[in-house]
Amino acid sequence: MNIIHPWPDSPEAAVTLQQQLRNQIRIQPLDRPAETIAGCDISFNKFEETVYAGIVVLRLDTLETIAEATAITTTSFPYVPGLLSFREIPALLEAWAKLTILPDVVVFDGHGIAHPRRLGIASHAGLLLDRPTLGCGKSVLVGRYEEPALERGSWSPMMHRGEVIGAALRTKNKVNPVYVSPGHLIDLQTGIDLMLRCDGGYRIPETTRRAHNLVNDVRRANL
């Protein structure tokens, strides 16, 4: 992991840091084809300090789960939309350190550059992990798009301030799209292709779905 900055202790300091880090993000094709992919998820009550994190690593060709790790941490950083990575990443880094297999690509339940300052959790974590990352969110943070066709695999670009920042991707026929955006060291088309390959028959790709189930199991076990 890259230790690229001290952790901010206020929303104002976090916004300043995002503005500084955004220039380090690199959107580019993968250096080599991905064979493994991980999903990350977080669970917390916005009014409490406990954060539950989970990471699940899958083989891309079979979608077999080959590794997983969890962590339970506490945070004092407040719940502020657009700054959630500062609450969530420390717990995910702790889970990451426990993985026995490190994935080629990491998917976050959130956004990459589809963010007001182009530094969503997938982009921020990509800088820290120094590996390809992308966001696959269930809702829009910023950007507008035209509704894609109803068939699985259809997508339309998400635009913000004249830039393409992601895609509204239909992962299942006649079901609401998910919102894919590159985080770091990956491009949009590759992110779209990977999310379609992680198909388990649900709207949400298997990476996110399995990480979500893992985190919920951990949270229930520790209530």
Side-chain angles (χ1 to χ4, degrees), residues 53-64:
I55 305 175
V56 178
V57 183
L58 285 64
R59 281 186 50 166
L60 258 173
D61 56 351
T62 64
L63 298 186
E64 172 193 2

Side-chain angles (χ1 to χ4, degrees), residues 50-78:
T50 304
V51 178
Y52 304 86
I55 305 175
V56 178
V57 183
L58 285 64
R59 281 186 50 166
L60 258 173
D61 56 351
T62 64
L63 298 186
E64 172 193 2
T65 296
I66 56 175
E68 59 183 39
T70 62
I72 303 172
T73 66
T74 58
T75 180
S76 59
F77 197 89

Side-chain angles (χ1 to χ4, degrees), residues 6-20 77 83 86:
W7 215 249
D9 57 4
S10 69
E12 294 77 16
V15 169
T16 299
L17 181 59
Q18 285 181 333
Q19 298 286 20
Q20 295 168 354
F77 197 89
L83 299 177
F86 295 97

Side-chain angles (χ1 to χ4, degrees), residues 74-91:
T74 58
T75 180
S76 59
F77 197 89
Y79 180 94
V80 181
L83 299 177
L84 296 186
S85 67
F86 295 97
R87 275 182 69 90
E88 299 179 2
I89 284 179

Side-chain angles (χ1 to χ4, degrees), residues 210-223:
R210 294 188 200 178
H212 177 76
N213 289 341
L214 175 64
V215 169
N216 281 348
D217 288 344
V218 171
R219 186 170 182 172
R220 282 193 294 267
N222 287 274
L223 289 178

